[in-house]
Amino acid sequence: MDPIGKKLLDIAKKELGYTEHGDGYTKFGEWYRKNVDGDHDEYFSTAPWCDMFLAWAADKADVTDQAGQFASTVEHAKWFKKHDAWGHDPEPGAIVFYDWNGSHDIDQIDHVGIVEKVDGHTLHTIEGNAEGYKLMRKTRDTGTVVGYGYPSKVKVEAKYTPKHAAPAPTVDQVGAPVTSTHTHEAEHNGAAEPLPAQDVVLGGILAFILCGTVALAAGRAAAAKAPTSPPIRVRKRGKHHRPSTPVALPADVTPADLDAADAGTTLMPALSLAAAHEAEDREFWGRIAHLEEDKELDFWNTLHAELTEETPALYASTPGFR
């Protein structure tokens, strides 16, 4: 017996005697409309249901990948043929396809059922929509059989399962505290394999170290390109220009004195030569203003005023005079 077909038979036996409603409605057609048909077409609720019953039974037995889910008997038979699961030898558990005209043409199939028993050229089956309205056992002659589909011969690709995947939690385990006692043992040398969580932690640490190394290298490169001197000119106690050659320190000046002077250095924007001269003049005349009462200085001021009044054109035409 086909092992997958046996599961279908177990489901079918529980439904024996089911009868469609007066308008052709069946729970199998309604289920197909809601769960299989993409458009949820109302047609299937009252359509001929021999194959939709098998789709429903396959779903209940959890063998849809091997038995298929169809409403069309022709498409169902071609599906078995496509999967190299089609033949002409009767077998309990096989899906049997009929053509009432006996043409043996797969495109002329009219009806479908499940083989329950084989007795020579006689088939004992369970069929939905038998007699046009009922789920029941039938006895058929093999002369109207087009072929058989063998569910267990349909090759189903195995679904990938991770090596260390834990089993899915049961209903009573959902939301419960995790108390796993499962351990992983290495297949080689008896060494314990790292758990997936450990791999994640180690990967995070390596990524952190790598990022830190890259950031440090970038910081060093930026520091190497940074200017080591201020981009503005420095005024040190009235000296606007640095000498082109080093100057020897006076005997009474020590490097400590220079360091103290540097501590009092202030930053200021660069001044033009004319502005610097003007500032020096104001500073000089401000410092000697108190000497105006000095008689000797007063004499020279008087002499300067007299000369200026007598020969103003001379001073005005002298280049660079101030």
Side-chain angles (χ1 to χ4, degrees):
M1 175 177 287
D2 187 292
I4 303 300
K6 183 180 184 302
K7 294 182 179 182
L8 296 177
L9 283 171
D10 292 340
I11 298 295
K13 291 174 182 178
K14 297 177 182 179
E15 298 296 322
L16 284 170
Y18 179 86
T19 303
E20 69 180 39
H21 294 187
D23 59 352
Y25 173 90
T26 64
K27 67 178 182 181
F28 312 117
E30 179 67 9
W31 173 88
Y32 188 93
R33 178 185 72 83
K34 291 181 177 179
N35 297 278
V36 181
D37 180 57
D39 297 327
H40 307 297
D41 194 334
E42 295 288 346
Y43 162 79
F44 293 102
S45 299
T46 57
W49 50 280
C50 60
D51 215 2
M52 290 190 291
F53 160 69
L54 292 179
W56 178 88
D59 179 75
K60 296 299 180 183
D62 195 24
V63 293
T64 56
D65 290 341
Q66 294 91 346
Q69 288 187 309
F70 294 87
S72 167
T73 54
V74 172
E75 296 302 322
H76 199 177
K78 290 181 177 180
W79 180 82
F80 276 114
K81 193 170 184 178
K82 177 181 178 181
H83 285 80
D84 295 325
W86 177 259
H88 300 280
D89 297 324
E91 177 185 339
I95 308 300
V96 55
F97 295 87
Y98 303 100
D99 171 25
W100 302 138
N101 295 324
S103 68
H104 304 291
D105 184 356
I106 197 170
D107 289 315
Q108 302 300 320
I109 291 174
D110 299 307
H111 188 58
V112 66
I114 312 173
V115 178
E116 186 176 20
K117 180 182 177 182
V118 180
D119 185 10
H121 294 286
T122 302
L123 301 178
H124 298 272
T125 63
I126 296 178
E127 302 170 10
N129 198 29
E131 306 285 337
Y133 72 102
K134 193 175 183 179
L135 178 63
M136 58 188 297
R137 283 187 168 97
K138 294 291 293 183
T139 301
R140 303 283 190 185
D141 185 270
T142 58
T144 57
V145 174
V146 176
Y148 303 89
Y150 308 107
S152 62
K153 292 185 178 181
V154 175
K155 297 180 181 179
V156 178
E157 293 183 4
K159 297 180 180 179
Y160 171 75
T161 302
K163 182 177 180 181
H164 298 299
T170 59
V171 175
D172 58 337
Q173 292 176 331
V174 175
V178 177
T179 57
S180 175
T181 59
H182 180 69
T183 59
H184 299 284
E185 296 182 357
E187 296 178 359
H188 304 285
N189 301 326
E193 293 182 358
L195 296 176
Q198 293 175 331
D199 293 341
V200 174
V201 173
L202 292 175
I205 293 174
L206 292 176
F208 177 79
I209 294 174
L210 178 61
C211 292
T213 304
V214 173
L216 181 60
R220 288 178 175 175
K225 296 179 179 180
T228 58
S229 59
I232 57 177
R233 299 180 66 183
V234 179
R235 177 177 181 179
K236 295 187 178 181
R237 298 190 177 183
K239 295 182 179 180
H240 303 290
H241 306 284
R242 294 178 180 177
S244 57
T245 57
V247 177
L249 295 177
D252 58 341
V253 178
T254 66
D257 295 331
L258 295 180
D259 291 339
D262 287 340
T265 299
T266 59
L267 302 180
M268 61 177 292
L271 299 177
S272 65
L273 179 62
H277 289 167
E278 183 179 354
E280 288 179 348
D281 288 346
R282 286 199 303 269
E283 182 178 0
F284 172 77
W285 290 110
R287 288 185 178 184
I288 67 172
H290 66 284
L291 300 176
E292 290 184 354
E293 296 179 359
D294 187 278
K295 292 182 179 180
E296 184 178 354
L297 180 62
D298 184 58
F299 167 75
W300 289 108
N301 284 340
T302 303
L303 180 60
H304 178 270
E306 292 176 354
L307 293 174
T308 302
E309 291 176 358
E310 292 177 358
T311 58
L314 176 62
Y315 290 99
S317 61
T318 303
F321 181 83
R322 60 185 182 90

